[in-house]
């Protein structure tokens, strides 16, 4: 069966991320992607995870505590647009964004086109060759369509000499099925 955007995002990460890699979770939320990445990179790797909500950081901390072997995670209560400050020139193998709002939380706190694009530009500078940045775009909420359009346009403009960009979406589903975008550095 074809994979959902969320499952396919993990497959795209699993294909390239290995033990010892440095990776980024740009939208920590409840920490599902943070834990997944931590398990891929192992104790010798590193995950930098970002969110602007304290509740997200606490939920992720709690999730990681149930997996004490996952020690290589740095949780930042900071916007992903500031990622470069924390990466300090280090190269990354992958990053993932899950856009929109945190389910069962304040629906007013959403990712925004300008900060998402700023974060992408910064992270692309740190991306290793064959590294991938994945965006899972949810856009059914107010403001979501504007962010989706801005990111499609951003990705359309990336030079094909430097990047491959994939779009993955179920096009016959109701209720705004998420769009997955994957940018791969050449
Ligand atoms: N990946 C998460 C998970 O596994 O549970 C779900 C992420 S949720 C769809 C989007 C998250 O992005 C929210 O927790 C929200 O607080 C966060 N967010 C919004 N603006 C942000 C920003 N500028 N930088 C980092 N995170 C942000």
């Amino acid at each position: 069966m074809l994979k959902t955007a969320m499952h396919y995002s993990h497959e795209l990460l699993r294909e390239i991320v290995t033990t010892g890699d440095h990776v980024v979770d740009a939208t920590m939320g409840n920490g599902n992607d943070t834990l997944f990445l931590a398990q891929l990179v192992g104790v010798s790797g590193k995950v930098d995870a970002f969110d602007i909500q304290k509740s997200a950081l606490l939920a992720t901390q709690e999730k990681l505590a149930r997996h004490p072997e996952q020690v290589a995670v740095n949780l930042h209560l900071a916007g992903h647009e500031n990622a470069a400050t924390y990466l300090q020139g280090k190269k990354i193998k992958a990053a993932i964004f899950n856009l929109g709002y945190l389910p069962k939380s304040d629906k007013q706190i959403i990712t925004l086109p300008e900060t998402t694009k700023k974060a992408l530009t910064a992270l692309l500078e740190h991306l290793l060759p064959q590294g991938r940045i994945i965006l899972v775009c949810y856009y059914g909420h107010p403001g979501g369509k504007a962010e989706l359009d801005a990111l499609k346009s951003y990705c359309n403009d990336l030079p094909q000499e430097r990047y491959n960009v994939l779009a993955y979406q179920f096009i016959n589903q109701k209720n705004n099925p998420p769009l997955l975008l994957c940018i791969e550095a050449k």
Side-chain angles (χ1 to χ4, degrees), residues 10 25-34 50-53 56 60 63 76 78-82 96-103 105 109-112 115-116 119 136 138:
H10 283 192
D25 182 358
T27 51
M28 202 186 305
N30 288 319
N32 298 308
D33 293 327
T34 309
F50 297 87
D51 208 293
I52 52 172
Q53 296 192 68
T60 302
K63 178 158 284 164
H76 306 293
H80 41 224
E81 60 277 17
N82 304 307
I96 183 161
F97 292 73
N98 253 277
L99 302 174
Y101 59 86
L102 185 60
S105 180
I109 304 177
I110 56 172
T111 52
L112 297 169
T115 38
T116 304
V136 182
Y138 297 90

Side-chain angles (χ1 to χ4, degrees), residues 49-69:
F50 297 87
D51 208 293
I52 52 172
Q53 296 192 68
K54 185 88 195 267
S55 57
L57 195 130
L58 293 174
T60 302
Q61 241 168 14
E62 206 175 295
K63 178 158 284 164
L64 294 170
R66 282 183 250 129
H67 299 265
E69 72 281 12

